[in-house]
Amino acid sequence: MPKLSYLKALNRALGDELEADERVFVLGEDVRVAASNLTAGLFGRFGPERVLDTPLSEQAFTNFATGAALAGMRPVIEFQIPSLLFLVFEQIANQAHKLSLMSGGQCKVPVTYVVPGSGSRTGWAGQHSDHPYSLFAHVGVKTVVPATPADAYGLLLSAIRDDDPVVVFAPSGALGFRDDVDFSTLAPVPLGVGRVARAGSDVTVVALGHLVQDAIAVADELAGEASIEVFDPRTVYPLDVEGLAASVARTRRLVVIDDSNRTSGFGAEVLAVAAERFELDAPPRRVTRPDGAVLPFALALDRAVQPGRDDLVAAIRGVLGRNAK
Amino acid sequence: MTSIDLYRTVRLIRRFEERAIEFVRSGEIVGGIHPYVGQEAIAAGVCAALRADDLITSTHRGHGHVLAKGVNPARMFAELMGRESGLNKGRGGSMHAADFSLGILGANAIVGAAGSIATGAAWAQRRLGKSTVAATFFGDGAVNEGMLLEAFNLAALWNVPVLFVCENNGYATTMPVDSAVAGSITGRAKAFGMPAFTIDGQDPEKVLAATTAAVERARAGKGPTFLECTTYRFDAHHTFEHRARLNYRSNEELAAGWSRDPVEIQGARLSLDDRAAVDTEIEALLDAAAGIALGSAHPDPDAALQYLYASPEVFS
């Protein structure tokens, strides 16, 4: 079977939707030359009115997309740096997200915000390395973090077709991930439906994006010691609580690995759901960035702040009642 | 658009606002409003130059724009009172009043935010093959918001059929415009290569004439125009001022403002009989509208988060 990379899958999804629906258009900085490769080839195929290269005006072009959506279009914005989402949080959380309710259901705001390269990109330091998906989940914006090429394709397709604003975080650590994919099976993946990425019976590890691969690797590494299930929610919000419940019902133990800050983060949310809903044989654990973390520049410091495989192994052993070796 | 039509609109807005202020005092409107009293000529003149299918975006001080674009006053009162029959089914209130069927994309409570929304909407309409334009209203305070200046750039760069209508009423809440704006307001627009004019915002016919020219320019594909309409807010920034008694304007200044009342300026162009007939018509219209709004149902608390998502199925 042919190999498909995660980044190419996103590119393919964009191209397919531009082809399928005249209302779809892409806008963002450097999309014409496809500086991030997300929009590679699209300018040549679809032209400047559908692949709209914008000046550096993030706040205006984010609201511009909202206005275009109100007028009947389906814009897809590319943000090449995750921290730009802090700059446009008002435009997404306070404008696009709120217009449906505030108008009493008169309008739809089908804007997709794609961030190809969220999280640490190694060497990009404090202002280019955040992974702010928890913020959007907190305010109720649909938030997606795909883990595989097929999911990257299918979730981006669903995001573009959704009638609400959706943020799609493509972690830097996942962009180069390649998979054997039968292209004929590529299809939309519904928002809010998780998947079991690896079956197991002793402990459920919840992981998102690039961390799914880390969790699978750890599960393989510990295979002689414990049977580990990896659950990939795919969407942070809405969270597939039922899917997670089904997994935890089998394992009765829970660890979450989350590449965002600890307090009020996605990991905290999963543990809160567990406390409310699940019967566990051991207190659950979370592996996260530290509270309030800012990614330092030096490689060893950058790595020290991110949740890593060793931390995950320790947490898994912790919930299994075994000490870390 | 005749003189009498323009008078009808300014009179409608004035009396609507005066009644709304009374409803704030009586508690029927909770949370207060930002009265448009004194600025009516701008909404009336601009909207008179627009077609029914043209778009507008509005501000936190938006009642006048919405009324001038043609909403049903009963549904507007009902919205301010948080009733189910309101424009937004009671989910938006004064600062978010919208009627998409009339091209009203909504009042917006964040200063300067709507300019870029209108620019995107106008661009999209053109892309979709329509000949419509969008007018976006904002105050003098908004010209210091970077997001709005970014929108000027996009609109001028891409020849977007949008009209930037600045209502310079002299104050951003309590901050006098001279203490807030370096350079000039029209200079902001001219810097982006956009034609910009300062016009008398107390005279509906002058606003209509200037807007008509700007609309023709936009429809001809020549891009945006900026209109600075000089005006004066006769009442408070927000009705909370009626209690807070903020002291930032002298009685002399207020009297000078009232001496150029748009209702009188336009009213003087009518015969006394015509004017009296319109006044009577407006009172009857608003009596009926207020009665309908007051008799409307309150929303069901169980439906507090209805409409949160346009595609809610994944949350069921």
Side-chain angles (χ1 to χ4, degrees):
Chain A
M1 259 188 291
K3 290 274 189 190
L4 179 65
S5 84
Y6 186 105
L7 183 59
K8 187 65 193 167
L10 291 171
N11 173 259
R12 197 182 173 96
L14 264 184
D16 285 356
E17 280 307 274
L18 281 161
E19 191 76 54
D21 188 344
E22 272 290 322
R23 298 169 303 169
V24 175
F25 72 101
V26 180
L27 71 164
E29 292 155 354
D30 309 307
V31 295
R32 178 191 169 117
V33 300
S36 71
N37 267 320
L38 178 80
T39 54
L42 300 181
F43 185 86
R45 268 174 81 192
F46 299 102
E49 290 281 287
R50 302 197 63 204
V51 180
L52 193 57
D53 224 5
T54 62
L56 309 187
S57 308
E58 293 86 7
Q59 296 186 323
F61 72 61
T62 304
N63 265 354
F64 179 96
T66 297
L70 293 176
M73 309 278 291
R74 306 189 83 88
V76 181
I77 306 181
E78 181 193 2
F79 292 102
Q80 290 177 9
I81 299 164
S83 311
L84 291 177
L85 292 174
F86 297 145
L87 198 57
V88 299
F89 197 68
E90 195 279 326
Q91 288 74 24
I92 300 174
N94 200 40
Q95 302 284 343
H97 169 58
K98 292 185 177 174
L99 288 173
S100 177
L101 182 138
M102 291 195 307
S103 69
Q106 291 182 69
C107 65
K108 299 185 281 199
V109 187
V111 183
T112 304
Y113 314 89
V114 192
V115 191
S118 193
S120 168
R121 290 188 282 173
T122 308
W124 290 74
Q127 292 179 338
H128 277 36
S129 304
D130 289 295
H131 204 5
Y133 48 84
S134 295
L135 293 180
F136 292 90
H138 183 72
V139 294
V141 175
K142 295 174 183 176
T143 304
V144 181
V145 190
T148 68
D151 275 2
Y153 178 90
L155 288 165
L156 180 55
L157 225 59
S158 295
I160 295 170
R161 293 177 187 180
D162 197 273
D163 281 338
D164 291 308
V166 183
V167 190
V168 179
F169 288 93
S172 164
L175 293 180
F177 180 65
R178 289 158 67 88
D179 222 350
D180 291 327
V181 173
D182 176 356
F183 289 174
S184 70
T185 63
L186 288 172
V189 173
L191 306 182
V193 180
R195 71 186 178 109
V196 173
R198 182 189 189 281
S201 54
D202 292 337
V203 54
T204 296
V205 173
V206 177
L208 278 170
H210 65 297
L211 294 175
V212 172
Q213 298 308 324
D214 284 315
I216 290 171
V218 164
D220 290 344
E221 183 186 315
L222 298 183
E225 189 178 330
S227 170
I228 296 168
E229 178 147 308
V230 177
F231 183 77
D232 168 14
R234 291 169 161 153
T235 55
V236 178
Y237 190 81
L239 181 63
D240 181 3
V241 174
E242 299 311 320
L244 181 58
S247 174
V248 174
R250 291 190 289 272
T251 63
R252 300 181 65 88
R253 288 182 173 81
L254 177 65
V255 172
V256 55
I257 182 165
D258 167 22
D259 187 21
S260 66
N261 295 348
R262 191 170 184 85
T263 294
S264 301
F266 171 69
E269 176 60 28
V270 172
L271 263 53
V273 168
E276 287 170 344
R277 301 272 304 252
F278 305 156
E279 285 189 23
L280 297 173
D281 290 341
R285 296 207 178 182
R286 56 185 154 149
V287 180
T288 67
R289 291 188 186 187
D291 275 341
V294 174
L295 243 67
F297 167 68
L299 181 60
L301 304 181
D302 172 309
R303 291 289 179 263
V305 171
Q306 291 177 65
R309 292 186 185 183
D310 293 345
D311 306 316
L312 181 57
V313 169
I316 290 168
R317 288 187 173 140
V319 300
L320 289 167
R322 295 163 205 162
N323 293 328
K325 286 176 188 167
Chain B
M1 183 60 56
T2 62
S3 294
I4 199 165
D5 292 326
L6 284 172
Y7 177 73
R8 184 179 290 111
T9 308
V10 292
R11 180 73 185 181
L12 168 70
I13 299 170
R14 170 65 54 82
R15 289 297 294 138
F16 182 95
E17 290 293 75
E18 289 173 345
R19 284 165 177 257
I21 292 166
E22 288 168 21
F23 283 132
V24 171
R25 290 194 173 124
S26 67
E28 295 291 351
I29 294 174
V30 176
I33 62 168
H34 298 83
Y36 195 64
V37 174
Q39 304 183 205
E40 297 90 344
I42 304 169
V46 169
C47 291
L50 300 177
R51 290 197 318 229
D53 58 346
D54 288 329
L55 308 177
I56 66 165
T57 65
S58 176
T59 71
H60 57 284
R61 195 181 310 289
H63 304 173
H65 312 134
V66 176
L67 287 163
K69 194 69 168 60
V71 302
N72 178 335
R75 294 192 63 211
M76 184 73 191
F77 271 138
E79 187 57 34
L80 303 188
M81 295 173 187
R83 307 299 176 108
E84 191 67 41
S85 66
L87 289 173
N88 309 28
K89 301 191 172 68
R91 269 67 169 184
S94 170
M95 289 193 284
H96 304 301
D99 188 336
F100 280 71
S101 71
L102 296 170
I104 302 164
L105 304 187
N108 200 304
I110 298 299
V111 172
S116 40
I117 292 176
T119 303
W123 178 88
Q125 294 273 83
R126 188 180 65 190
R127 265 283 315 276
L128 294 166
K130 299 174 185 170
S131 64
T132 49
V133 305
T136 178
F137 297 92
F138 50 88
D140 46 280
V143 302
N144 294 322
E145 295 283 0
M147 175 173 33
L148 184 64
L149 304 182
E150 291 177 13
F152 294 171
N153 187 52
L154 298 183
L157 205 58
W158 296 335
N159 281 324
V160 178
V162 59
L163 274 48
F164 294 105
V165 182
C166 177
E167 302 185 317
N168 179 1
N169 68 13
Y171 293 88
T173 308
T174 64
M175 169 69 85
V177 64
D178 291 343
S179 304
V181 178
S184 71
I185 286 179
T186 52
R188 299 280 203 275
K190 287 175 182 163
F192 295 99
M194 201 190 308
F197 307 99
T198 300
I199 58 174
D200 177 3
Q202 297 307 92
D203 185 334
E205 301 205 347
K206 287 183 181 162
V207 175
L208 171 59
T211 311
T212 300
V215 169
E216 283 170 7
R217 187 171 183 278
R219 280 205 222 285
K222 294 178 181 168
T225 299
F226 184 100
L227 298 175
E228 178 196 11
C229 306
T230 54
T231 183
Y232 193 73
R233 161 165 58 75
F234 294 179
D235 204 280
H237 165 68
H238 182 276
T239 44
F240 68 61
E241 255 183 56
H242 295 165
R243 291 193 308 278
R245 300 188 189 286
L246 304 181
N247 186 20
Y248 60 98
R249 301 191 293 183
S250 67
N251 289 336
E252 292 73 24
E253 183 184 314
L254 284 164
W258 276 104
S259 75
R260 299 213 63 239
D261 181 346
V263 176
E264 295 306 322
I265 289 172
Q266 193 60 22
R269 293 178 175 135
L270 273 56
S271 73
L272 289 178
D273 283 351
D274 282 351
R275 187 171 171 176
V278 171
D279 291 355
T280 304
E281 173 197 328
I282 295 294
E283 291 314 302
L285 177 73
L286 291 176
D287 281 346
I292 291 167
L294 287 166
S296 298
H298 292 276
D300 176 356
D302 287 344
L305 291 183
Q306 194 179 4
Y307 314 117
L308 182 56
Y309 297 97
S311 55
E313 63 281 358
V314 292
F315 294 90
S316 60

